[in-house]
């Protein structure tokens, strides 16, 4: 790298630093181009992307089919608002509801908005269908959850950084430990006002915590038994990331309608975001069957951009790519290989204590204290060695490459990761 080029990237960083709010702490890498599993910085250095914009770019950077859908639609019609019908939304709604096996979709833009929407639907259902007294509905959530950044959502976070000094908080939530079916049962038995259970099928932000094999099936059973809505936040885990179309699909191998699989813990409300658009445009979705979705009537919820024709065209193309390019099977196979290779290395490692995950949503736990800078330092070194990843919580590094990766590329990445880790062995 020449001195001039270095100054160049420093200037971009200085601009963001000077004129942007400091609500993120990025690695000092300035990206200007992406294609498939790769991104390039302003100096032309090439990296494997092992974050995939928090699993929004499952289909790979700048996927030609998705970009083409964007360009075509952008030149035709972008936004009408929902004051009128448009010729793209209905087709997209039919496609996505059939793909995931629900009667209806409520289209939104960001993940947090979709979570908010699910909470509103759940509460309204509780009063109008379940018969809970007004203002009494409770939604159960999990410790260490991540569902987004709005005022209501951070109200039930236990991340002090996300919460502190943003109160007063929204009431109506109970927190229980994750992956603890007895704790859930206890809450259900002792409170008649439970309306729903909002849960991530795998806790991504918390550090890629995969629950026990049958946890979600048990959750679904209890929800059915107590007439409580099972609300799955698949914003990060959905769309093939974990080696099935949805993480709630468990070990099914089907590509499309996971309902056919008996391992499928079908949620009452499904929340999708991120990879719904392949990272090309902000698109999120809430899916539910008619008996639930019908509680929302005209004027009771909405969004100017939600369901716009550009989003509909992009999302439909992005979802089609998942099946066309076998991303489910690929994520499953490469995920197994990734964990096998890293497990083998970890056996004799003093710096990494474990690897865990499902499909291509994985994490390693660094053998150091949670407040140490080791994970950050490893990520800096990984970047230097041509691979971008970021610590999630303190000493945990998440590895989530685009699902269009091939085996040769994955093995190349494994050797970069192992080579880098070796530099930190004591
Ligand atoms: C990213 C994420 C969200 C929030 O999505 P935004 O688009 O950032 O608002 C919600 N839930 C989960 C599980 C996520 O990973």
């Amino acid at each position: 790298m020449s001195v001039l080029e270095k100054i160049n990237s420093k200037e971009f960083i200085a601009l963001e630093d000077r004129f942007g709010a400091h609500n993120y702490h990025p690695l000092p890498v300035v990206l200007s181009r992406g294609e498939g599993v790769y991104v390039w910085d302003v100096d032309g250095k090439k990296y494997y992307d092992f974050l995939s914009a928090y699993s929004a770019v499952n289909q790979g950077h700048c996927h030609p089919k998705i970009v083409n859908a964007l360009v075509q639609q952008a030149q035709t019609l972008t936004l009408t608002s929902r004051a009128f019908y448009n010729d793209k939304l209905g087709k997209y709604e039919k496609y996505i509801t059939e793909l995931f096996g629900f009667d209806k979709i409520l289209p939104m833009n960001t993940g947090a908005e979709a979570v908010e929407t699910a909470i509103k639907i759940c509460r309204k259902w509780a009063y109008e269908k379940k018969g809970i007294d007004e203002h009494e509905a409770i939604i159960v959530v999990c410790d260490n959850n991540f569902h987004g950044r709005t005022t209501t959502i951070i109200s039930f976070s236990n991340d002090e950084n996300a919460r502190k000094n943003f109160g007063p908080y929204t009431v109506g939530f109970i927190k229980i430990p994750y992956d603890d079916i007895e704790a859930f049962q206890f809450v259900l038995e002792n409170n008649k006002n439970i309306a729903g259970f909002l849960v991530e099928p795998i806790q991504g932000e918390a550090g890629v915590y995969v629950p026990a094999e049958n946890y979600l099936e048990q959750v679904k059973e209890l929800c059915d038994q107590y007439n409580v809505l099972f609300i799955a936040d698949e914003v990060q885990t959905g769309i093939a990331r974990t080696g099935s179309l949805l993480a709630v699909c468990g070990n099914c191998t089907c590509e499309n309608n996971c309902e056919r699989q008996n391992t499928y813990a079908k949620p009452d409300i499904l929340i999708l975001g991120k990879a719904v658009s392949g990272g090309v445009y902000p698109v999120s979705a809430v899916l539910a069957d008619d008996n639930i979705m019908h509680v929302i009537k005209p004027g009771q919820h909405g969004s100017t951009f939600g369901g716009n024709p550009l989003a509909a065209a992009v999302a439909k193309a992005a979802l089609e790519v998942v099946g066309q390019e076998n991303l489910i099977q690929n994520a499953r196979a490469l995920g197994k290989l990734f964990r096998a290779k890293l497990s083998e290395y970890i056996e004799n490692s003093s710096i990494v204590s474990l690897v865990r995950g499902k499909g291509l949503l994985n994490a390693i736990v660094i053998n150091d204290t949670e407040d140490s800078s080791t994970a950050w330092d490893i990520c800096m070194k990984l970047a230097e060695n041509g691979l971008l990843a970021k610590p999630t919580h303190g000493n945990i590094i998440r590895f989530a490459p685009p699902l269009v990766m091939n085996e040769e590329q994955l093995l190349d990445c494994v050797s970069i990761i192992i080579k880098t880790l070796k530099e930190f062995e004591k």
Side-chain angles (χ1 to χ4, degrees), residues 24 53-55 109-115 146-150 153 200-205 233-237 271 273-274 282-284 398:
Y24 280 90
Y54 303 93
S55 295
N109 314 285
T110 66
E113 280 179 326
V115 172
F146 182 84
H147 297 288
R149 301 298 200 162
T150 62
I153 292 171
E200 299 156 86
I202 291 171
Q203 284 192 327
E205 291 309 299
D233 179 349
E234 293 247 18
V235 171
Q236 186 161 155
T237 52
I271 305 167
K274 295 193 170 121
V283 184
S284 66
R398 172 176 31 202

Side-chain angles (χ1 to χ4, degrees), residues 59-251:
Q59 297 88 333
H61 286 276
C62 298
H63 193 291
K65 280 184 190 150
I66 309 172
V67 169
N68 189 43
L70 176 94
V71 171
Q72 295 279 316
Q73 191 57 41
Q75 290 171 335
T76 312
L77 181 68
T78 56
L79 180 66
T80 60
S81 91
R82 297 289 299 278
F84 313 107
Y85 291 89
N86 71 67
D87 68 347
K88 289 292 173 296
L89 180 57
K91 285 183 190 165
Y92 161 60
E93 290 176 330
K94 179 172 191 289
Y95 184 82
I96 191 172
T97 50
E98 285 175 1
L99 181 64
F100 293 101
F102 288 88
D103 291 339
K104 283 196 168 51
I105 174 189
L106 199 162
M108 296 295 283
N109 314 285
T110 66
E113 280 179 326
V115 172
E116 288 275 349
T117 302
I119 290 168
K120 286 174 75 176
I121 294 171
C122 179
R123 284 177 165 184
K124 209 154 187 297
W125 171 88
Y127 302 127
E128 296 173 9
K129 300 275 173 127
K130 182 164 175 170
I132 292 176
D133 290 342
E134 207 185 340
H135 301 305
E136 297 297 323
I138 287 183
I139 295 176
V140 179
V141 297
C142 290
D143 290 337
N144 304 320
N145 67 73
F146 182 84
H147 297 288
R149 301 298 200 162
T150 62
T151 313
T152 287
I153 292 171
I154 58 107
S155 292
F156 54 80
S157 166
N158 55 301
D159 177 348
E160 266 310 290
N161 224 4
R163 256 175 77 85
K164 195 165 164 29
N165 289 340
F166 292 122
Y169 303 114
T170 307
V171 298
F173 299 94
I174 289 181
K175 264 200 295 292
I176 60 168
Y178 186 65
D179 193 19
D180 185 340
I181 200 68
E182 269 120 51
F184 185 44
Q185 179 146 21
F186 182 84
V187 164
L188 292 170
E189 279 168 3
N190 290 284
N191 198 321
K192 62 179 185 353
N193 292 330
I194 307 292
F197 181 40
L198 171 63
V199 64
E200 299 156 86
I202 291 171
Q203 284 192 327
E205 291 309 299
V208 189
Y209 286 98
V210 183
E213 190 80 44
N214 58 355
Y215 176 61
L216 297 168
E217 279 97 79
Q218 290 177 312
V219 161
K220 182 181 166 61
E221 251 170 54
L222 283 176
C223 284
D224 286 349
Q225 192 184 329
Y226 286 86
N227 194 26
V228 158
L229 301 184
F230 170 26
I231 310 167
D233 179 349
E234 293 247 18
V235 171
Q236 186 161 155
T237 52
I239 332 274
R241 171 53 58 188
T242 66
S244 42
L245 185 59
L246 297 171
V248 290
C249 293
N251 295 318

